[in-house]
Amino acid sequence: EIQLVESGGGLVQPGESLTLSCVASGFSFSDYWMTWVRQAPGKGLQWLANIKHDGSAEYYADSVKGRFTISRDNAKNLLYLQMNSLRAEDTAVYFCASHTRGATDLWGQGTLVTVSS
Amino acid sequence: QSALTQPPSASGSPGQSVTISCIGTSSDVGGYKYVSWYQQHPGKAPKLMIYEVTQRPSGVPDRFSGSKSGNTASLTVSGLQAEDEADYYCFSYAGNYNYVFGSGTKVTVL
């Protein structure tokens, strides 16, 4: 079955760090650019970052540049999002997705990150 | 990277059509063919409905169609069905490997 499954979300305090993971199955993960998108409670979607299929380049939204890092391990079919200096406004459901032809076509179910003291 | 502008809501009766606009600039929507549309039901992940302005992925009904004129992209849902009630988001390439979503539109089937 073709799917993406995120994990690693949870409750963290402001200023702390958290790393999200996304495992891919059923498709050739190493052939695809990958994306992280988030959605704050009751709000819209926000593009966060993309990474090239081979991990050789990463691109970030201005709002997370310098705090978040996207990476991947193609040998393990894993995508990561390391998040540092977390703030209350980072509270959201985080989705990983594959990216092709300028669109995100396969999405995971999301993992909830709550930043609160 | 400001969100693309979509109307907060749209509605139509079963069988009718509804069109959702997505207003950007020449630096995003107007400048590239990479505009896509997503449907999201409550508590679910988004689903790709249209890519490259007009293209439908396999399995998406042909009731869904996309278009673009200048800096405005549009999604039209024809023959509205109850299951089309959802939030819809546009998404555009914005240059320099950056992307931006629209603000989202809640479609209600009356």
Side-chain angles (χ1 to χ4, degrees):
Chain A
E1 181 184 5
I2 296 174
Q3 64 177 355
L4 296 167
V5 178
E6 302 93 337
S7 61
L11 175 63
V12 295
Q13 296 197 345
E16 292 187 340
S17 298
L18 193 66
T19 298
L20 306 181
S21 300
C22 169
V23 60
S25 58
F27 67 100
S28 183
F29 178 71
S30 60
D31 288 342
Y32 288 85
W33 286 52
M34 296 296 293
T35 294
W36 284 99
V37 172
R38 72 182 177 186
Q39 186 170 36
K43 303 297 184 181
L45 300 170
Q46 181 185 15
W47 173 78
L48 298 178
N50 278 1
I51 186 168
K52 287 185 71 173
H53 64 285
D54 59 1
S56 62
E58 310 144 32
Y59 305 96
Y60 298 92
D62 289 344
S63 58
V64 301
K65 196 176 298 182
R67 289 195 306 127
F68 289 11
T69 301
I70 187 173
S71 62
R72 65 192 298 162
D73 183 339
N74 284 346
K76 297 181 179 178
N77 286 355
L78 280 167
L79 176 73
Y80 302 102
L81 184 68
Q82 181 180 346
M83 304 182 293
N84 297 327
S85 303
L86 284 163
R87 310 163 180 164
E89 53 265 36
D90 295 317
T91 293
V93 174
Y94 286 73
F95 297 98
C96 66
S98 60
H99 184 94
T100 185
R101 295 166 299 191
T104 48
D105 51 356
L106 175 66
W107 294 68
Q109 84 289 348
T111 187
L112 176 62
V113 173
T114 303
V115 184
S116 175
S117 54
Chain B
Q1 296 158 332
S2 299
L4 306 173
T5 300
Q6 297 181 233
S9 62
S11 63
S13 299
Q16 290 187 330
S17 295
V18 64
T19 297
I20 304 165
S21 60
C22 171
I23 302 172
T25 69
S26 58
S27 297
D28 39 61
V29 173
Y32 307 96
K33 69 174 184 177
Y34 296 115
V35 177
S36 50
W37 289 89
Y38 301 84
Q39 176 192 67
Q40 186 181 34
H41 288 108
K44 300 295 186 181
K47 175 186 176 183
L48 178 64
M49 305 303 284
I50 296 287
Y51 67 95
E52 289 181 351
V53 179
T54 62
Q55 303 302 301
R56 258 189 326 274
S58 174
V60 172
D62 60 6
R63 303 184 292 104
F64 291 84
S65 62
S67 63
K68 189 179 81 165
S69 177
N71 298 336
T72 300
S74 298
L75 173 72
T76 297
V77 186
S78 305
L80 268 174
Q81 299 182 5
E83 60 262 35
D84 300 332
E85 185 161 297
D87 294 326
Y88 291 84
Y89 295 90
C90 59
F91 182 61
S92 175
Y93 181 61
N96 295 317
Y97 297 99
N98 286 298
Y99 289 81
V100 61
F101 277 99
S103 49
T105 299
K106 181 176 180 60
V107 169
T108 300
V109 180
L110 301 172

